[in-house]
Amino acid sequence: MQISATLPARFRQIGRAIVDGVLPPRCLACGVTVGEPDALCSQCWASMTFFAPPWCAKCGLPFPHPMGEDALCAACARNRPSWDRARAALRYDKHSRRLVLALKHGDRTHLAPALGRWMRRAGAELLDSADLIAPVPLHWTRLFARRFNQAGLLAHAIHAAGGPPVAPDWLIRRRRTPSQGRLGPTARARNVRGAFALRGGRSIKGKRIVIVDDVLTTGATVEECARVLRRAGAAFVGVLTLARALRAGG
Ligand SMILES: [Zn+2]
Ligand SMILES: [Zn+2]
């Protein structure tokens, strides 16, 4: 009994060793050979900008100098988004863009565990007290064409790295929205207005939820999702993205 119970795991180990032996691990971003699996080469590592404190208490925008634990950036002092706190692992730039596109286009889904670990670390303040992670949903027609949702992959990877459980289908996309890619901030907000809803029968009241997405640019998409959760009575709404765009010089 004992032998048969341990055999599959043993086979998996051997299989893994064979795969590792034949295919040396590759850098997650550029593909050069590296010493260990799920890692970046030293050049890519140096080119990525990982966010770290000191940062805005609300949105995680990095500050050049320590400003005090509760300090807010100018945008957070001015605006009142529907979410409570946002964090991102990486600055969205031409380097991190390679990771985002590789994940989105599906040929490199093996990236997800490493990215999930980075997001788990960057979002620790949000995740440690959260009840659920809710990935930003795709419209079902897009999901059908692409077969997976990159935000969902990241959410599951964050959970696997020690994060809270995933609520994969609590948020739904009611209508198919054109890609946000070429739109300005106002058009983006209009494009996604009313696009999301909470699936029937799901109770959010009093829960602490973290919305997960791959990239935050203007924040229009997560704002809409946060509004839905807030309206449904969420006690806390966090936003955690793999990457976040900053304005030049910001
Ligand atoms: Zn590399
Ligand atoms: Zn801020």
Side-chain angles (χ1 to χ4, degrees):
M1 280 304 280
Q2 228 172 359
I3 291 171
S4 65
T6 56
L7 262 181
R10 184 82 191 119
F11 275 129
R12 271 200 301 278
Q13 273 172 8
I14 295 167
R16 179 74 202 228
I18 291 169
V19 170
D20 287 350
V22 175
L23 303 168
R26 306 221 165 243
C27 168
L28 294 171
C30 74
V32 303
T33 306
V34 287
E36 52 184 299
D38 287 348
L40 293 170
C41 70
S42 52
Q43 218 171 347
C44 287
W45 184 261
S47 72
M48 302 280 172
T49 306
F50 286 87
F51 291 131
W55 51 27
C56 167
K58 191 164 174 82
C59 76
L61 181 81
F63 290 143
H65 320 285
M67 312 261 284
E69 245 177 52
D70 300 325
L72 298 182
C73 71
C76 287
R78 198 172 53 234
N79 303 328
R80 299 186 66 94
S82 299
W83 41 266
D84 295 289
R85 279 176 166 212
R87 294 289 182 267
L90 288 165
R91 178 174 185 163
Y92 189 55
D93 55 20
K94 65 177 185 205
H95 306 290
S96 62
R97 193 162 176 269
R98 296 170 78 156
L99 294 171
V100 170
L101 292 180
L103 187 72
K104 191 174 272 181
H105 294 146
D107 52 333
R108 309 269 300 280
T109 50
H110 67 276
L111 293 173
L115 307 184
R117 283 194 294 277
W118 299 348
M119 291 173 76
R120 170 78 185 89
R121 206 160 43 222
E125 290 167 278
L126 282 54
L127 296 165
D128 288 347
S129 61
D131 298 303
L132 290 169
I133 318 177
V136 169
L138 291 176
H139 190 256
W140 69 268
T141 53
R142 202 162 272 169
L143 185 61
F144 190 73
R146 204 189 278 168
R147 299 193 316 278
F148 72 95
N149 173 6
Q150 71 277 10
L153 277 184
L154 292 173
H156 285 288
I158 293 164
H159 171 64
V166 183
D169 58 353
W170 285 34
L171 280 171
I172 51 174
R173 202 180 275 251
R174 287 200 286 205
R175 58 184 170 81
R176 191 175 170 150
T177 50
S179 166
Q180 298 275 69
R182 294 207 177 88
L183 304 177
T186 318
R188 279 175 181 240
R190 202 182 313 126
N191 188 32
V192 291
R193 179 124 328 135
F196 299 96
L198 190 64
R199 190 175 292 279
R202 304 299 194 273
S203 172
I204 290 287
K205 208 167 168 54
K207 290 203 164 70
R208 300 175 66 86
I209 317 278
V210 176
I211 300 167
V212 164
D213 206 357
D214 53 354
V215 183
L216 188 135
T217 40
T218 65
T221 300
V222 294
E223 171 61 24
E224 277 301 307
C225 292
R227 204 176 288 174
V228 167
L229 297 174
R230 186 64 81 197
R231 218 180 290 142
F236 172 92
V237 180
V239 172
L240 179 57
T241 57
L242 171 63
R244 170 184 172 178
L246 299 182
R247 273 179 289 276

mmCIF file of all heavy atoms in Angstrom, residues 56 59 61 73 76, ligand 2:
data_model
loop_
_atom_site.group_PDB
_atom_site.id
_atom_site.type_symbol
_atom_site.label_atom_id
_atom_site.label_comp_id
_atom_site.label_asym_id
_atom_site.label_seq_id
_atom_site.Cartn_x
_atom_site.Cartn_y
_atom_site.Cartn_z
ATOM 1 N N CYS A 56 3.222 55.356 -1.289
ATOM 2 C CA CYS A 56 1.929 55.919 -0.876
ATOM 3 C C CYS A 56 1.135 54.823 -0.137
ATOM 4 O O CYS A 56 1.001 53.711 -0.640
ATOM 5 C CB CYS A 56 1.165 56.391 -2.111
ATOM 6 S SG CYS A 56 -0.567 56.759 -1.801
ATOM 7 N N CYS A 59 -2.082 53.818 -2.643
ATOM 8 C CA CYS A 59 -1.946 53.198 -3.970
ATOM 9 C C CYS A 59 -0.596 52.532 -4.202
ATOM 10 O O CYS A 59 -0.396 51.886 -5.226
ATOM 11 C CB CYS A 59 -2.212 54.213 -5.072
ATOM 12 S SG CYS A 59 -0.846 55.343 -5.342
ATOM 13 N N LEU A 61 2.288 53.948 -4.776
ATOM 14 C CA LEU A 61 3.212 54.711 -5.626
ATOM 15 C C LEU A 61 4.511 54.939 -4.858
ATOM 16 O O LEU A 61 4.479 55.456 -3.745
ATOM 17 C CB LEU A 61 2.587 56.069 -5.989
ATOM 18 C CG LEU A 61 3.446 56.954 -6.885
ATOM 19 C CD1 LEU A 61 3.303 56.518 -8.340
ATOM 20 C CD2 LEU A 61 3.061 58.415 -6.737
ATOM 21 N N CYS A 73 0.104 59.973 -1.920
ATOM 22 C CA CYS A 73 0.580 60.700 -3.096
ATOM 23 C C CYS A 73 -0.469 61.768 -3.452
ATOM 24 O O CYS A 73 -1.588 61.753 -2.918
ATOM 25 C CB CYS A 73 0.808 59.743 -4.259
ATOM 26 S SG CYS A 73 -0.701 59.078 -4.975
ATOM 27 N N CYS A 76 -3.865 60.357 -4.701
ATOM 28 C CA CYS A 76 -4.707 59.737 -3.668
ATOM 29 C C CYS A 76 -5.264 60.779 -2.707
ATOM 30 O O CYS A 76 -6.344 60.592 -2.142
ATOM 31 C CB CYS A 76 -3.932 58.668 -2.909
ATOM 32 S SG CYS A 76 -3.665 57.189 -3.900
HETATM 33 ZN ZN ZN B 2 -1.342 57.096 -4.005
#
